[in-house]
Amino acid sequence: MHITRLPDVTPPNEGAPPARSVAVGTFDGVHLGHRAVIDGSDSVLTFEPHPVSVIAPQHTPKLLTTLDVKAELIAGLGVRELIVIPFDAEFASHTADEFISEVLVGALGAQRVAIGENFRFGHRAQGDPRLLAADPRFETVVHLLLEVDGEIVSSSHIRGLVLAGEVDQAARFLGAPFQLRGEVVHGDERGRELGFPTANLVPKEALACPGHGVYACLANGEIPAAVSIGVRPTFETGRGELIEAYLIDFDGDLYGSTLRLDFLSRLRGERRFDTPQALIEQMRHDVLRTREIAEAR
């Protein structure tokens, strides 16, 4: 998949395909509803950073995906190109009509535009699906909000599930396990002392992170991993929140590398143990359950 940023996209009269079929949206998480909007499009138009972070910074949501992960997920849908609009205050001041004429028609030469029914655009969000549908220069396809088991699929709902630790429910709406990625950093090596050496990640403030607890995960898409998220209440560490992943049957040095964690299920909440031995016994049980859950996939 080819990735470009406006204004570097090739105009339709300079060698680009004569007709772009464009799906437009923020697409945080690339959940099942987003996938329905993208289906049938050869191009995806999105925004970076999240528009809310510019328009109303105090309401900036915890993101489900970075731009890199979003791009990877969209590429997996068979899309030919991802076009990224650098969203800033200047772009936010453009009217809805300017967005249509300058971006969709002028820059992209769109002949088909797919959106969700709640998509809004232009200064003060004055543009809506009705305005797009009224433009004769392209076909507009409006997708109704998707429901799964009677619940609306939305990025905000999925964020709430992730933050509450309900990762199995989040996966139902995402269409895949929720994932986190980060660089493996040095910890206090407490896990190694207990017989469970961990690869440690520091949660990123801008990204959604499952609530404190222990989870069954897959590391790098294939290695079962028991993952603890929290502040390690059994020990006085003086450190902040940490993601600690024990990769089952893995022996290697991961420091400095990027680790991907796919969250399969929440095993339990975070708790304080009276003795290190009690913690070790619980960790053995967590590892056994993780192995069972991973093998059942």
Side-chain angles (χ1 to χ4, degrees):
M1 182 181 72
H2 187 57
I3 302 176
T4 57
R5 289 178 177 263
L6 283 181
D8 296 332
V9 65
T10 304
N13 61 345
E14 294 183 12
R20 274 187 173 96
S21 177
V22 186
V24 187
T26 304
F27 300 127
D28 183 33
V30 195
H31 58 57
L32 292 177
H34 296 151
R35 297 180 187 206
V37 174
I38 292 170
D39 186 42
S41 298
D42 54 49
S43 303
V44 169
L45 178 66
T46 193
F47 311 92
E48 176 69 16
H50 194 293
V52 173
S53 70
V54 174
I55 298 169
Q58 69 276 19
H59 298 302
T60 301
K62 299 278 190 179
L63 297 181
L64 297 169
T65 48
T66 63
L67 179 60
D68 287 345
V69 173
K70 183 194 300 187
E72 183 178 303
L73 294 172
I74 290 173
L77 302 178
V79 172
R80 179 176 56 81
E81 65 176 345
L82 175 65
I83 303 158
V84 181
I85 292 179
F87 198 93
D88 55 18
E90 192 276 331
F91 187 85
S93 69
H94 289 190
T95 67
D97 286 333
E98 287 173 335
F99 176 75
I100 293 174
S101 295
E102 296 176 8
V103 177
L104 296 181
V105 176
L108 304 185
Q111 292 194 6
R112 177 183 178 272
V113 176
I115 55 171
E117 66 172 296
N118 59 347
F119 179 66
R120 299 294 183 270
F121 61 98
H123 186 57
R124 298 188 181 278
Q126 293 178 341
D128 60 14
R130 183 177 300 180
L131 181 63
L132 286 171
D135 198 304
R137 291 173 289 183
F138 48 79
E139 173 193 5
T140 298
V141 179
V142 181
H143 291 262
L144 300 180
L145 295 178
L146 185 67
E147 292 188 18
V148 171
D149 296 334
E151 295 186 80
I152 295 292
V153 179
S154 71
S155 297
S156 59
H157 181 45
I158 295 170
R159 283 187 203 105
L161 292 172
V162 169
L163 295 172
E166 298 180 37
V167 294
D168 52 344
Q169 296 300 311
R172 291 172 53 238
F173 299 114
L174 287 168
F178 171 75
Q179 62 170 278
L180 278 179
R181 301 186 189 190
E183 180 183 345
V184 177
V185 300
H186 288 275
D188 53 22
E189 299 191 353
R190 186 81 61 180
R192 187 176 303 278
E193 295 174 4
L194 299 173
F196 297 91
T198 59
N200 304 313
L201 311 179
V202 177
K204 297 178 181 178
E205 180 63 28
L207 300 179
C209 180
H212 291 186
V214 178
Y215 299 84
C217 297
L218 285 180
N220 292 338
E222 57 181 358
I223 305 171
V227 177
S228 174
I229 300 178
V231 294
R232 302 162 305 291
T234 301
F235 305 99
E236 295 294 335
T237 65
R239 297 170 64 100
E241 187 179 51
L242 199 65
I243 302 168
E244 301 172 289
Y246 172 64
L247 279 59
I248 300 174
D249 299 330
F250 175 82
D251 183 18
D253 184 0
L254 294 172
Y255 289 122
S257 66
T258 296
L259 183 67
R260 167 183 164 181
L261 296 174
D262 293 352
F263 287 76
L264 306 181
S265 181
R266 188 174 193 263
L267 300 178
R268 62 179 176 86
E270 184 179 45
R271 53 177 287 216
R272 185 184 184 281
F273 293 86
D274 293 333
T275 65
Q277 187 58 41
L279 173 58
I280 290 172
E281 290 301 320
Q282 180 62 60
M283 292 172 70
R284 288 173 178 163
H285 179 71
D286 295 337
V287 169
L288 178 62
R289 286 288 298 126
T290 295
R291 192 190 300 272
E292 291 173 347
I293 291 169
E295 291 177 351
R297 283 178 53 80

